[in-house]
Amino acid sequence: MNVIFIGASSVGPRWIMSSLKRAHHNAYGIYLGYENITLGESAVPFYPPVLKNFLQDKSIDMIGVTMDSLNIESTLQIIEAVRRDFPHVKVVVGGIHPTIEPDETIRFPGVDYICIGEGELPLLELCNALDEDPSCKNGLDTKIQNIWANKNGSIFTNTLRNFADIDQFEFDREGIAYNGVFTGRGCAGNCNFCASPFIKSKLGIKGKYFRKRKLESVITEIEEMIGLNYRHFLGVMLRGPLLIDRLRAAYQFCAYIFEPIRIKDDSFMIDKKWFLRFAEEFSRRPRLRRRGFICGARVNEIDEETVTALKRANCSTIILGFESGDEEYRNTSLKKRITDAEIFKVSSMLKEAGITMLGQWMIGMPGETPELALKSLKMSLEIGDVPQVHIATPLPKTKMLEQAVALGYFAPGERPKVTGIYDDFTMVRPEHRNTFRQLYNAFKIINAQLDRKSTGGVFSRFQRDLHRKRVGEILLEGISFDQRNENVRP
């Protein structure tokens, strides 16, 4: 089978591609769209939208499209366009939306199959079945766990297999210079804005949702990844078709030499014993320690021992989900289970260790008042993180959407008209939206100012902190509330 993958929200197809290639299928991707229809902005490890000529040249038999709940319309446009140009091609839709809304997705026009949950084994079995009988008369393609099929309007559903042992899968790095590594799969959190709680409790899949890989395979992959990326850049520098390609590769190569490794896990540090072993192994290898790494963690996973390990292994930046500056809202509504005292203590330890905090914040959440949102901005200034602020997005099968419905922002069963995480505020009263827009802009101004400052050296950090404090004071002075209508006054 010749398979191509299109998507923008997940690198999951890279594991599927490896699984298919090992079984002697041909797999290509991940492309951001088809022809002039795109699903997202260009970024590694995604290629620009694939062209019709490529599908013709490679005799593509199947396209796998990743669909999330924010790109449904664009995904259906891609499917329609591919169907028009290649009526014989089979269309498989995977990703978070078919996983949480399978009954809807399998009935979308042009969809032959959907994959619910993890796709390495289901897609391999589907390709094997279609390879054996392209006409599908034997019906094997309708009897694969995790795969649903639509045969001229007749829907064939199947049970879901157990969560797989992830050590059997490899991340396909052919043709890309990607600096990201996944040491596990799944998330241990139960945040109200995420679909993970639904997947863990409602789909009925057996086995461990959160899984860690063997430490030895992770360290080996990191070392091999560095070598592969070097060879990729050097190959383009020497054999690139255009001078501009060779110059760009030379620039990227120089930047890559100093680029930290990016640990992409949702729950990297939750297994403390595993993490401490990782930090020890990482720090023992000079080539890895010189690079260091960037990772994410939950606040309550960090203590003095883990901070010491992070510093020893040369962790330069840690991503922390604070979400809200109000403790009660953070824990009651968002289910974060993190106190203010923990946030301030962890922030102090990380600052002392010289580790930059990249804070994740949300505003415009259901029931959040302007005063609560302002507390987030104030807390960010107090703890000294580099803030990234997101407008709260009500996604299907999340507790946040249930709260928004209960508060009357959406009717029961209504699909919120949200097409991206930077859409305007959908869960804020109209008379408060200007306030939230200004708070959002204040966050972005602080972030932009920090990005312009060097993060190296004690003096540079001191200058940055002074500048940050001054910018923050100016912004806070410009935001006040009229107690009658809570509109912002300049």
Side-chain angles (χ1 to χ4, degrees):
M1 291 287 290
N2 297 316
V3 186
I4 191 168
F5 290 93
I6 297 174
S9 58
S10 171
V11 298
R14 279 278 166 180
W15 282 283
I16 300 174
M17 289 168 60
S18 177
S19 179
L20 295 180
K21 288 178 181 180
R22 282 190 291 176
H24 308 293
H25 298 288
N26 296 313
Y28 311 93
I30 310 167
Y31 295 91
L32 285 170
Y34 177 68
E35 290 286 337
N36 62 343
I37 309 170
T38 183
L39 297 176
E41 298 179 0
S42 179
V44 177
F46 301 98
Y47 294 127
V50 67
L51 301 179
K52 178 180 177 180
N53 289 343
F54 185 89
L55 273 68
Q56 290 175 327
D57 294 343
K58 299 298 183 181
S59 300
I60 295 299
D61 304 300
M62 175 189 291
I63 68 163
V65 187
T66 302
M67 177 183 285
D68 62 44
S69 301
L70 301 178
N71 71 6
I72 295 174
E73 183 177 340
S74 297
T75 302
L76 293 179
Q77 290 174 1
I78 288 173
I79 294 172
E80 181 183 12
V82 171
R83 280 290 196 200
R84 181 183 63 243
D85 296 337
F86 302 95
H88 70 283
V89 168
K90 300 296 183 183
V91 175
V92 185
V93 178
I96 185 62
H97 196 77
T99 296
I100 62 176
E101 297 283 9
D103 292 294
E104 175 188 48
T105 310
I106 192 62
R107 290 173 172 82
F108 282 142
V111 175
D112 295 304
Y113 308 96
I114 64 170
C115 179
I116 301 172
E118 297 168 352
E120 291 92 345
L121 299 178
L123 262 293
L124 174 60
E125 292 175 17
L126 179 61
C127 286
N128 289 342
L130 294 175
D131 225 14
E132 180 179 327
D133 180 14
S135 66
C136 308
K137 291 181 179 179
N138 60 16
L140 290 179
D141 60 323
T142 66
K143 302 174 183 178
I144 299 169
Q145 284 185 305
N146 293 62
I147 298 291
W148 288 15
N150 186 333
K151 300 283 191 175
N152 299 316
S154 297
I155 307 300
F156 296 84
T157 66
N158 289 291
T159 59
L160 302 179
R161 67 191 71 207
N162 297 346
F163 287 118
D165 174 9
I166 58 175
D167 278 307
Q168 66 183 302
F169 306 129
E170 295 180 359
F171 188 90
D172 181 69
R173 297 182 180 274
E174 183 178 357
I176 58 173
Y178 181 54
N179 205 33
V181 174
F182 292 80
T183 73
R185 187 177 292 184
C187 181
N190 288 292
C191 302
N192 83 329
F193 48 84
C194 180
S196 286
F198 174 84
I199 294 173
K200 287 185 283 188
S201 63
K202 301 298 184 181
L203 287 188
I205 304 176
K206 296 180 180 179
K208 288 185 177 181
Y209 176 65
F210 172 69
R211 290 145 287 169
K212 293 294 281 189
R213 293 171 53 194
K214 293 178 180 177
L215 177 62
E216 296 75 14
S217 69
V218 171
I219 296 296
T220 298
E221 181 185 0
I222 293 174
E223 292 181 320
E224 291 178 349
M225 174 191 73
I226 293 172
L228 288 170
N229 289 346
Y230 278 147
R231 288 193 288 276
H232 173 86
F233 289 127
L234 290 172
V236 178
M237 288 163 59
L238 295 173
R239 298 184 294 275
L242 300 174
L243 177 60
I244 187 64
D245 295 325
R246 297 195 293 272
L247 291 175
R248 185 184 297 113
Y251 172 79
Q252 293 171 337
F253 176 78
C254 293
Y256 178 69
I257 292 173
F258 304 101
E259 185 177 337
I261 291 152
R262 297 177 182 268
I263 308 296
K264 306 290 288 186
D265 300 42
D266 292 322
S267 299
F268 175 54
M269 294 176 60
I270 192 168
D271 185 337
K272 183 177 178 179
K273 183 178 179 181
W274 189 99
F275 164 71
L276 292 175
R277 289 176 55 225
F278 170 86
E280 179 64 27
E281 289 296 323
F282 192 94
S283 61
R284 287 172 52 191
R285 290 164 168 78
R287 184 166 71 153
L288 300 189
R289 192 183 185 286
R290 279 195 301 270
R291 278 183 174 276
F293 63 89
I294 297 171
C295 68
R298 290 175 58 88
V299 171
N300 51 19
E301 295 167 2
I302 299 174
D303 55 25
E304 291 182 3
E305 187 177 15
T306 53
V307 170
T308 299
L310 287 166
K311 183 176 182 179
R312 184 173 63 249
N314 194 21
C315 172
S316 59
T317 301
I318 190 164
I319 304 166
L320 297 170
F322 302 122
E323 318 305 351
S324 172
D326 184 81
E327 182 175 309
E328 181 178 358
Y329 189 91
R330 185 189 317 120
N331 294 322
T332 302
S333 294
L334 301 182
K335 310 300 181 185
K336 294 292 291 185
R337 293 174 289 129
I338 300 169
T339 66
D340 286 356
E342 288 176 311
I343 290 174
F344 284 107
K345 181 179 180 180
V346 165
S347 301
S348 177
M349 287 192 296
L350 291 171
K351 187 178 293 186
E352 181 68 23
I355 300 172
T356 299
M357 292 180 295
L358 190 63
Q360 303 293 300
W361 304 89
M362 284 196 299
I363 60 173
M365 298 173 281
E368 184 185 34
T369 64
E371 287 82 3
L372 291 181
L374 184 60
K375 289 179 74 172
S376 296
L377 179 59
K378 288 181 176 178
M379 175 176 278
S380 174
L381 290 165
E382 289 174 9
I383 65 176
D385 71 331
V386 178
Q388 286 191 324
V389 61
H390 306 278
I391 298 173
T393 304
L395 299 173
K397 297 296 189 280
T398 64
K399 294 294 182 181
M400 178 172 282
L401 180 56
E402 292 179 10
Q403 291 175 2
V405 170
L407 292 171
Y409 293 109
F410 306 103
E414 178 185 359
R415 181 188 297 283
K417 295 180 180 179
V418 179
T419 58
I421 61 173
Y422 298 110
D423 278 10
D424 205 359
F425 297 93
T426 59
M427 297 180 288
V428 172
R429 290 163 53 185
E431 65 268 25
H432 293 165
R433 286 178 184 168
N434 189 50
T435 303
F436 278 89
R437 291 184 189 115
Q438 293 206 25
L439 287 165
Y440 176 82
N441 290 337
F443 264 114
K444 301 299 283 187
I445 290 170
I446 293 172
N447 193 320
Q449 295 295 330
L450 286 173
D451 283 345
R452 295 192 185 102
K453 294 292 176 179
S454 169
T455 58
V458 175
F459 182 73
S460 295
R461 290 200 300 272
F462 176 70
Q463 289 284 75
R464 183 188 65 196
D465 290 343
L466 283 180
H467 185 80
R468 183 182 209 285
K469 187 174 186 294
R470 182 171 61 82
V471 171
E473 287 175 348
I474 292 171
L475 291 171
L476 289 175
E477 286 174 2
I479 299 176
S480 60
F481 302 105
D482 187 314
Q483 294 302 315
R484 291 168 295 178
N485 60 23
E486 294 179 292
N487 287 328
V488 166
R489 303 197 303 263

